Amino acid sequence: MKNCSVYIELLQAFPPRPINAEEELIATQAAIDSLLDKGELTPDERDYLHVLGTLVYEYEQTLELIPDIYGVELLKALIEEFELRQKDLVPIFKTESIVSDILREKRQLTTEHIQKLAEFFSVSPAVFFPLHPVKKTA
């Protein structure tokens, strides 16, 4: 490195540290935003931006951003998110009583239901299945 004074100035202005709290994330994001707002970055600024981006990425990996829900629980969350009523799902389930039974867990979602729901909500059918097999306790 010929002249790393810009990089050292950046480090001194906002020393990068592992992010452990929301406030630290916000501060790091503000530093990232101020660099991005400049437009054309020097190699030192790009390196510093990479370090900050890595810290944000590592922190976000520790968060459970998407709740681990699937199946009927996911369906209920999607219904709420899209402000739907049971009758809005009749094209998928054929009758409102089937929708009701599924939401009350008196009936299981079928493969056909899951395919139609995935298409309806524009999501992968995989989101309706658990990521890990659920261990049953005796």
Side-chain angles (χ1 to χ4, degrees):
M1 278 190 233
K2 291 185 214 163
N3 180 5
C4 62
S5 64
V6 171
Y7 190 77
I8 290 171
E9 287 174 22
L10 290 166
L11 291 173
Q12 289 172 336
F14 186 83
R17 296 180 51 111
I19 300 169
N20 296 305
E22 187 71 21
E23 308 80 53
E24 295 168 352
L25 175 65
I26 292 167
T28 305
Q29 194 61 55
I32 289 170
D33 291 345
S34 70
L35 274 173
L36 293 176
D37 289 345
K38 289 182 67 177
E40 189 73 27
L41 299 177
T42 68
D44 283 344
E45 290 169 329
R46 281 196 302 272
D47 287 349
Y48 180 67
L49 185 62
H50 178 74
V51 169
L52 294 180
T54 300
L55 293 172
V56 169
Y57 174 79
E58 287 176 359
Y59 175 71
E60 287 177 344
Q61 294 305 300
T62 68
L63 302 178
E64 192 171 325
L65 298 178
I66 300 171
D68 193 14
I69 61 171
Y70 54 90
V72 175
E73 290 305 312
L74 175 61
L75 177 57
K76 289 176 184 176
L78 289 168
I79 289 170
E80 187 176 322
E81 174 80 20
F82 287 88
E83 298 178 357
L84 300 174
R85 294 183 306 272
Q86 288 186 14
K87 69 180 184 178
D88 297 324
L89 298 177
V90 169
I92 295 167
F93 295 102
K94 302 210 179 15
T95 69
E96 217 172 313
S97 66
I98 293 174
V99 177
S100 180
D101 285 350
I102 286 176
L103 292 175
R104 289 190 319 227
E105 300 186 38
K106 290 186 172 187
R107 285 185 121 154
Q108 299 288 316
L109 287 170
T110 66
T111 304
E112 184 181 342
H113 294 151
I114 289 171
Q115 288 173 334
K116 289 180 178 179
L117 286 167
E119 197 174 297
F120 183 82
F121 289 110
S122 299
V123 298
S124 165
V127 302
F128 287 94
F129 298 100
L131 295 176
H132 319 287
V134 177
K135 291 183 182 175
K136 299 201 179 204
T137 54

